[in-house]
Amino acid sequence: MRIVFMGTPEFSVPVLDALVEAGHEIAAVYCQPPRPAGRGKKERPTPVHARAEALGLEVRYPVSLKGEEAQAEFAALGADVAVVVAYGLILPQPVLDAPKKGCLNIHASLLPRWRGAAPIHRAIMAGDDETGVCIMQMEAGLDTGPVLLRKATEIGAEETTAELHDRLSDMGAAAIVEALVALDDLEPEVQPEDGVTYAAKIDKAEAQVDWSAPAVEVDRKIRGLSPFPGAWCEIEGQRVKLLASRCVEGAGAAGEVLDDALTVACGEGAVQLLRLQRAGKGAQDADVFQRGFAVAKGTRL
């Protein structure tokens, strides 16, 4: 099948690899433009851009697809289908209509729950027991199109967004290959109106930990915001990112360190901090962190 692939971040790379390995013809790869990164602010290609070039594929990165010229260039590719996964641009109707079989989106949630920008983060932060991926026929609305295929998976009790991100990326890659094989036989499932939720983009202002909240909510925030932007608190005047945790038994004043294993009291219950990162340092497991920056029992965070 002749495919236009549209994706940008690391999440999209396994999908591109799977399409190539399945023998599909990739007419072109669309992604976001290179952007300044690192200390030197040198322009750096996106993960999909880098991978596509390594595979010898044509890469395009228009700033917009709203113009007639960009739309004509897209249509001229003569694609059977476009596969879209975390691309980052809204597709105008002429682009949606150009491929013979339309545009298919891989969305990392069980639609209609968690439409929008941050479905993995929000699923963990909300305490969902399961999530998954959906292969959706794209239309003009935000993640509103009919679902062609869905795959569910449980969310682990200590799973972070980083870990779930990687699992769902691999699930999406397998699911789109399966969907393309059976595309003409799949029955579109119109999304119900009941159960619609929106996964708003993560705001860094959300990331500070409120120790007066119940431990279960603190734990979900830590895991849901790991690795980016990273939930944080101040320890001895330094901002520290909290990257992994678990709920444990314990009680004390909110924010009080209860032992040498970095168990911290919350409004109800306690959490044990498993992985932390000081500003300018690498992420460390709790025991290593404690050797370099000891946090004593009784410290208030």
Side-chain angles (χ1 to χ4, degrees), residues 120-129 155-157 159-161 209 214-226 231 242 245-247 271:
I120 302 175
H121 299 77
R122 297 298 178 189
I124 291 178
M125 292 171 73
D128 290 5
D129 293 326
I155 299 175
E159 197 161 24
T160 65
T161 284
V209 171
V216 65
E217 294 181 11
V218 172
D219 174 61
R220 290 171 185 167
K221 173 174 280 192
I222 291 171
R223 293 185 295 108
L225 296 181
S226 177
L242 312 177
S245 60
R246 64 164 68 101
C247 288
V271 296

Side-chain angles (χ1 to χ4, degrees), residues 242-261:
L242 312 177
L243 299 175
S245 60
R246 64 164 68 101
C247 288
V248 295
E249 292 184 1
E256 179 185 358
V257 178
L258 301 177
D259 57 25
D260 293 332

Side-chain angles (χ1 to χ4, degrees), residues 1-289:
M1 196 173 289
R2 184 170 170 82
I3 295 172
V4 174
F5 181 79
M6 311 180 84
T8 294
E10 196 65 45
F11 184 84
S12 311
V13 172
V15 180
L16 177 59
D17 284 340
L19 293 173
V20 171
E21 289 169 10
H24 294 289
E25 178 189 0
I26 308 300
V29 172
Y30 279 69
C31 60
Q32 290 285 295
R35 293 202 166 89
R39 292 182 179 178
K41 297 300 181 183
K42 183 179 179 181
E43 285 200 341
R44 181 182 298 171
T46 67
V48 164
H49 185 159
R51 182 59 182 153
E53 286 194 337
L55 292 168
L57 302 173
E58 179 186 349
V59 180
R60 299 180 179 182
Y61 40 89
V63 176
S64 170
L65 291 170
K66 294 180 180 178
E68 290 184 5
E69 183 178 351
Q71 293 172 7
E73 290 174 348
F74 182 87
L77 290 168
D80 295 310
V81 68
V83 172
V84 185
V85 51
Y87 174 40
L89 283 184
I90 293 174
L91 304 189
Q93 197 63 48
V95 172
L96 293 174
D97 294 340
K100 299 179 182 68
K101 298 179 184 294
C103 298
L104 303 183
N105 178 243
I106 304 172
H107 188 75
S109 81
L110 297 176
L111 293 167
R113 186 162 178 80
W114 302 128
R115 294 174 180 172
I120 302 175
H121 299 77
R122 297 298 178 189
I124 291 178
M125 292 171 73
D128 290 5
D129 293 326
E130 68 170 6
T131 186
V133 294
C134 286
I135 308 300
M136 177 190 68
Q137 189 80 49
M138 294 182 72
E139 56 184 32
L142 176 65
D143 300 328
T144 58
V147 174
L148 299 176
L149 186 69
R150 63 176 65 230
K151 301 287 186 178
T153 185
E154 291 185 358
I155 299 175
E158 297 182 14
E159 197 161 24
T160 65
T161 284
E163 292 163 340
L164 184 56
H165 166 284
D166 291 351
R167 288 208 298 118
L168 292 180
S169 179
D170 290 340
M171 284 179 63
I176 190 63
V177 170
E178 179 182 339
L180 290 173
V181 169
L183 190 56
D184 293 334
D185 299 320
L186 294 176
E187 290 290 335
E189 170 196 322
V190 176
Q191 293 186 42
E193 293 299 320
D194 293 338
V196 173
T197 59
Y198 289 93
K201 185 178 179 179
I202 298 296
D203 188 327
K204 289 184 179 179
E206 299 178 69
Q208 185 173 7
V209 171
D210 175 8
W211 296 108
S212 67
V216 65
E217 294 181 11
V218 172
D219 174 61
R220 290 171 185 167
K221 173 174 280 192
I222 291 171
R223 293 185 295 108
L225 296 181
S226 177
F228 182 83
W232 65 272
C233 69
E234 286 195 353
I235 303 178
E236 303 291 355
Q238 293 195 38
R239 182 181 288 206
V240 177
K241 282 187 179 182
L242 312 177
L243 299 175
S245 60
R246 64 164 68 101
C247 288
V248 295
E249 292 184 1
E256 179 185 358
V257 178
L258 301 177
D259 57 25
D260 293 332
L262 288 177
T263 300
V264 185
C266 301
E268 296 175 12
V271 296
Q272 183 182 9
L273 305 179
L274 304 176
R275 193 164 177 81
L276 307 90
Q277 183 176 13
R278 294 162 62 195
K281 306 289 185 179
Q284 297 176 315
D285 290 340
D287 58 342
V288 178
F289 181 89

